[in-house]
Amino acid sequence: MQFSASDNVCLTYESEGTGQPILLLSGYSGIKEEWKYQKEMLLAHNYRVLTMDWRNHGESMRTSKNLRIYRLAADIAELIEELKLEKIILVGHSMGASAIWAYISLFGEAKVAQVVTVDQSPKLINDDCWKYGIKDIYWDNFWTKISLWGKQHLNAINLNAEFVSELKIQRKQHPFDYELNQFLLVNHMEQDWRDIIAAIKKPQLFIAGECSPLWSSKYATFCANIAKDADVSVIKHVGHLVHMEAPEEFNQILLTFIMKRNDEE
């Protein structure tokens, strides 16, 4: 399925099921097919599951227009409006988490039930007062390392071989252009979401990979401590691709949080 964003960029999404809506959002260079294991589990528990390819990602339109995190937030808002979604659970991996924080910054929490963010530090550039950004990246070496960061090895545990083959086929059909999207990566890395996280009133869950090559998993505990209502879970032995490396454990953590928080309402 497709819809046209307000800047005339055509975005591809999928919607299955009829229950409470859960929107699964991938990271930089990610595609909607990465959520295969989560879709299967959530549909089995009677949720409505939605996935979307960001502009320039997967099956969505290629463009040089509006390659900014806040435009991705607007794309989320416009999909929610297009489908008339309410009480939506937002789940974002990596850059998908940043897009969720940007969405709440711009559009508030009225349509949101819960927020789940997966292995995403709220501030990617380290400084004298912040050590949970991307390892070894500071403002003084930012431009030297930025061109290498987007292509590094991200998982600590091998993914299921059949699943990897499925993803490779999809990526070959719809290749990701790192050069075209570098401005989006830079804009993503420039953000600081700590104040947004602290202001969110709805329940939040921070899931991190213990062996993430990008940042220390301690960022998740920091976020939970500044949030008004939050849980934190660090999954042992996995890297940045938490939901793909340990899908069964990830799914159990996600489902337990969702059901617990729904029961509390």
Side-chain angles (χ1 to χ4, degrees):
M1 292 177 279
Q2 295 181 326
F3 78 101
S4 183
S6 57
D7 61 350
N8 298 317
V9 173
C10 190
L11 302 175
T12 299
Y13 72 94
E14 292 182 356
S15 176
E16 299 179 52
T18 58
Q20 183 180 13
I22 301 180
L23 177 57
L24 306 172
L25 298 165
S26 299
Y28 179 77
S29 80
I31 54 178
K32 61 185 183 299
E33 287 75 15
E34 294 176 354
W35 297 101
K36 173 184 175 179
Y37 299 116
Q38 288 68 50
K39 284 180 62 177
E40 292 172 351
M41 180 272 293
L42 292 168
L43 288 170
H45 285 84
N46 300 314
Y47 290 96
R48 180 181 182 181
V49 184
L50 303 106
T51 54
M52 177 174 67
D53 280 329
W54 302 118
R55 54 188 61 214
N56 287 351
H57 290 64
E59 297 178 273
S60 288
M61 178 177 164
R62 270 42 181 174
T63 180
S64 59
K65 290 167 54 175
N66 294 329
L67 300 181
R68 295 172 172 82
I69 289 294
Y70 278 102
R71 178 62 243 191
L72 302 190
D75 294 340
I76 294 173
E78 290 172 15
L79 178 65
I80 290 173
E81 181 62 28
E82 173 84 8
L83 301 178
K84 308 300 180 188
L85 303 176
E86 301 286 346
K87 292 188 65 177
I88 187 168
I89 298 168
L90 297 175
V91 181
H93 171 242
S94 196
M95 187 186 72
S98 295
I100 290 171
W101 294 325
Y103 166 82
I104 292 174
S105 172
L106 288 175
F107 302 100
E109 304 172 51
K111 298 182 181 296
V112 178
Q114 301 167 26
V115 174
V116 180
T117 51
V118 185
D119 211 61
Q120 177 58 48
S121 172
K123 183 179 185 299
L124 277 63
I125 309 301
N126 297 292
D127 57 38
D128 291 342
C129 300
W130 178 253
K131 304 301 181 186
Y132 301 147
I134 301 173
K135 295 174 182 177
D136 302 320
I137 290 191
Y138 296 81
W139 281 116
D140 58 1
N141 66 8
F142 177 82
W143 291 106
T144 304
K145 295 195 173 187
I146 183 66
S147 61
L148 302 175
W149 184 75
K151 300 180 182 180
Q152 71 183 97
H153 193 70
L154 297 174
N155 54 302
I157 295 177
N158 290 333
L159 308 186
N160 176 277
E162 182 179 348
F163 179 48
V164 171
S165 295
E166 293 171 3
L167 294 179
K168 283 183 177 179
I169 292 170
Q170 191 69 13
R171 291 181 186 280
K172 186 175 182 180
Q173 292 175 344
H174 308 282
F176 184 78
D177 188 331
Y178 285 92
E179 184 176 355
L180 174 62
N181 288 291
Q182 187 174 49
F183 187 85
L184 175 60
L185 177 61
V186 170
N187 183 254
H188 166 44
M189 294 180 70
E190 290 174 333
Q191 308 303 319
D192 181 351
W193 304 109
R194 290 176 292 182
D195 61 321
I196 305 301
I197 291 167
I200 292 172
K201 296 177 182 178
K202 296 295 174 67
Q204 299 182 75
L205 171 61
F206 299 93
I207 302 177
E210 180 189 44
C211 301
S212 176
L214 299 183
W215 34 64
S216 167
S217 61
K218 292 179 181 178
Y219 87 83
T221 301
F222 171 88
C223 290
N225 287 338
I226 65 171
K228 289 178 167 54
D229 181 10
D231 292 348
V232 60
S233 184
V234 177
I235 299 182
K236 292 185 178 298
H237 311 304
V238 304
H240 182 57
L241 307 180
V242 185
H243 57 304
M244 292 181 273
E245 294 177 61
E248 291 185 4
E249 185 174 357
F250 178 92
N251 287 355
Q252 187 58 55
I253 291 167
L254 176 64
L255 184 63
T256 298
F257 174 79
I258 290 171
M259 296 179 68
K260 172 188 171 185
R261 295 306 189 151
N262 279 341
D263 288 343
E264 292 173 351
E265 291 185 352

